[in-house]
Amino acid sequence: MRAVIPRRWLILLAVMLAFLPVVIDMTILHIAVPSLTLALGASATEVLWIIDIYPLLMAGLLVPMGTLADRVGNRRILLAGLSVFGVASTLAAFAPTPALLIAARILLALGGSMIMPCVLGIIRRTFEDERERAMALGLWGTVGAAGAAVGPLVGGALLEHFWWGSVFLINVPVMAVVIPVAFVLLPRVEETTPGKWAIGQALILIAGIISVVYAIKAGVGGTQPLPVTLLVLIVGLALLSLFARQQLRATEPMLDLSLFGRPVLLAALIMAVVAIGALAGVELTLAMELQYVLDKSPLQAGIFMIPIMAAAAVGGPLAGYLSNRFGLRAVASLSLLVSAGALGFVAFADLHEPGVSVPVMLAVLGLALSIGLTASSIAIMGAVEASKGGAAGALEATAYELGTGLGITFFGVFMSSVYGHTIALPAQLAAPLAERVMRSIGDSYLVAAELPAEQGSALIDAAKAAFSSTHSVLLCTAAVVVGVLAIVVFRLFKGQRGQSAH
């Protein structure tokens, strides 16, 4: 007699397929940064906006979209988000200027913000059994890590034969498969949360989050005068305060603020922000080091970084087992400590002669961070009732996107600062050109192309030496941050041995 797969596992398959293109889009772009920088003539500031406008805007959209999905149904929002994501990918692929590419990334953020909370919300509603939910979230994490692993490799392969826009266009055939599969498998009738979706409150929340994040970005990067940065920050905090007061007074709030009073959920959100931010920054740093300094092709760079993501694909289901066996506190904190050690090793390793040790340590980093982040997902989903699955999923997705955006911002700004102070400028370089050179290694390559051959070659050599030193400082800093996070998580998870937050 032929075994029949329970419908809940088929639903899991559908939402994992829906989640895949969003993850691929996040990692595939890192490998394309040098190519699109040179092709579009993008400045360092434009490159940062191209990369992090997507996660930063999603950070403001995820909670409203998650609560909207709880109100009208995850299936409807998910299918709409997949359609928007496909259209935006096509526009991004053929963008002729940095400004238009940024605009396409904004549309991608809208689609992604509709997809991510629905995926987690559907998993929470579908799997009531805690152990099954842990395994389902582990498998979901595996697909996310696998997509991240495939992203750099696929991106590198595409850039070997096609233009940079192909890294976006690859999403279109994926969508052609995902949309009909999700349409058929997801239940048409689902439980929804009563109440209206207040668009005014949603706009206040979106404006508040984006204002605060922009102020942090502008303040750290020094791209705006201090009075402007402070004004935007004050406006953002005021909007968030107004939103919070509205939620406390509402009988059916858009966001249940009492969720933040649950220690495990709060710790898991902090963990997601810091850990995913460090990982995003590390990936970006390595992608630039491999291509700019080691002269690897995009495909070679993608292959070099496979260990970190391939090992992360194993960490998802392993995290489900370990969390059930040993508890969230031990799994989350120890995985972060191991991650910190791996980062510290890679920070001082010679990437010119990596041997076996560097790939092994990259694999250890990917495995450890995947285990820890999946444990945080289990904690968040276990901390809420099924009816609040969309809201909890939105909070987790917000933490991931906010962490990614801020991680890239801080790493990018820190990178520019260290690089600018480290590079030894060639003699007789004009002041305006010297100012451009000190912004980033990408700008240095653009300036070198404008100089006579001998002077340009000398500038490239100086840029490579400076970035190698910068890379070590960045990864060592990330190791310290993740190590401190391990201590914070250990303290906040106190008394929570089991995998559930109840």
Side-chain angles (χ1 to χ4, degrees):
M1 185 174 180
R2 189 169 58 182
V4 178
I5 300 176
R7 185 175 180 83
R8 61 185 179 278
W9 295 105
L10 293 176
I11 291 173
L12 177 65
L13 173 63
V15 297
M16 288 193 303
L17 287 173
F19 180 59
L20 184 62
V22 181
V23 182
I24 290 178
D25 189 71
M26 293 175 68
T27 59
I28 202 172
L29 185 59
H30 290 171
I31 211 74
V33 165
S35 299
L36 69 86
T37 298
L38 298 177
L40 297 179
S43 67
T45 300
E46 288 172 331
V47 169
L48 281 178
W49 276 114
I50 289 170
I51 296 172
D52 63 16
I53 189 63
Y54 174 76
L56 293 180
L57 186 57
M58 279 183 69
L61 292 170
L62 281 164
V63 171
M65 290 301 172
T67 54
L68 178 61
D70 282 340
R71 298 290 194 275
V72 304
N74 288 282
R75 182 179 185 273
R76 293 171 61 184
I77 300 301
L78 178 63
L79 291 173
L82 290 170
S83 301
V84 171
F85 201 86
V87 172
S89 296
T90 304
L91 295 176
F94 296 102
T97 66
L100 291 176
L101 180 54
I102 292 171
R105 293 280 284 171
I106 290 174
L107 192 59
L108 275 169
L110 175 61
S113 69
M114 300 169 77
I115 296 169
M116 291 189 71
C118 291
V119 169
L120 287 167
I122 290 170
I123 292 175
R124 176 63 185 88
R125 290 171 183 265
T126 304
F127 292 90
E128 287 294 332
D129 180 78
E130 291 181 350
R131 289 184 174 273
E132 280 197 348
R133 189 192 311 137
M135 292 308 300
L137 288 168
L139 291 171
W140 164 77
T142 297
V143 168
V150 170
L153 182 59
V154 172
L158 288 171
L159 292 172
E160 286 284 306
H161 304 287
F162 305 103
W163 88 115
W164 61 266
S166 61
V167 302
F168 293 106
L169 201 61
I170 191 64
N171 291 332
V172 177
V174 175
M175 289 297 163
V177 174
V178 170
I179 291 176
V181 169
F183 183 85
V184 171
L185 287 180
L186 293 180
R188 296 175 182 270
V189 179
E190 56 184 308
E191 179 186 357
T192 57
T193 302
K196 295 181 179 180
W197 189 72
I199 188 171
Q201 294 180 20
L203 292 175
I204 291 173
L205 177 61
I206 293 169
I209 292 179
I210 292 176
S211 296
V212 170
V213 171
Y214 177 79
I216 295 173
K217 175 182 172 62
V220 174
T223 58
Q224 294 290 345
L226 182 59
V228 174
T229 301
L230 289 177
L231 177 61
V232 174
L233 179 62
I234 291 171
V235 170
L237 292 175
L239 290 172
L240 291 179
S241 177
L242 173 61
F243 176 80
R245 288 199 301 271
Q246 290 176 333
Q247 303 313 294
L248 292 173
R249 295 172 182 171
T251 56
E252 295 173 345
M254 173 176 290
L255 176 62
D256 185 359
L257 297 181
S258 66
L259 294 176
F260 293 101
R262 306 180 186 188
V264 173
L265 185 141
L266 181 61
L269 290 175
I270 294 172
M271 180 178 175
V273 170
V274 178
I276 204 68
L279 182 60
V282 167
E283 288 176 356
L284 179 61
T285 304
L286 285 177
M288 297 178 72
E289 170 88 8
L290 293 168
Q291 294 178 79
Y292 281 130
V293 180
L294 275 66
D295 296 321
K296 291 185 178 293
S297 69
L299 177 58
Q300 291 172 327
I303 292 173
F304 189 96
M305 292 198 297
I306 279 179
I308 187 172
M309 294 304 177
V314 180
L318 187 58
Y321 168 77
L322 293 176
S323 296
N324 285 329
R325 178 68 177 83
F326 300 105
L328 287 173
R329 191 186 194 198
V331 171
S333 55
L334 287 177
S335 65
L336 290 174
L337 282 177
V338 173
S339 301
L343 279 170
F345 180 91
V346 177
F348 297 103
D350 182 5
L351 298 185
H352 294 83
E353 298 290 338
V356 177
S357 59
V358 171
V360 168
M361 281 298 155
L362 290 177
V364 169
L365 175 64
L367 179 66
L369 276 180
S370 176
I371 290 174
L373 290 173
T374 303
S376 73
S377 296
I378 295 170
I380 291 170
M381 290 297 106
V384 300
E385 302 76 18
S387 61
K388 296 179 181 178
L395 286 176
E396 180 180 5
T398 300
Y400 273 65
E401 297 307 318
L402 190 59
T404 299
L406 291 179
I408 290 173
T409 296
F410 280 108
F411 267 78
V413 171
F414 192 20
M415 183 187 299
S416 296
S417 177
V418 175
Y419 178 82
H421 286 86
T422 303
I423 189 170
L425 295 173
Q428 300 179 338
L429 187 65
L433 294 180
E435 183 179 348
R436 287 176 58 194
V437 164
M438 293 174 67
R439 293 174 186 168
S440 71
I441 189 170
D443 283 302
S444 298
Y445 268 76
L446 292 173
V447 170
E450 302 172 7
L451 299 174
E454 184 175 347
Q455 193 176 11
S457 178
L459 175 57
I460 294 298
D461 291 339
K464 289 182 176 182
F467 195 86
S468 291
S469 299
T470 302
H471 142 262
S472 296
V473 173
L474 288 172
L475 295 191
C476 188
T477 302
V480 173
V481 171
V482 174
V484 172
L485 175 63
I487 299 173
V488 172
V489 168
F490 184 80
R491 291 183 62 86
L492 290 180
F493 270 46
K494 184 177 181 180
Q496 295 291 337
R497 185 186 183 282
Q499 62 91 9
S500 171
H502 295 304

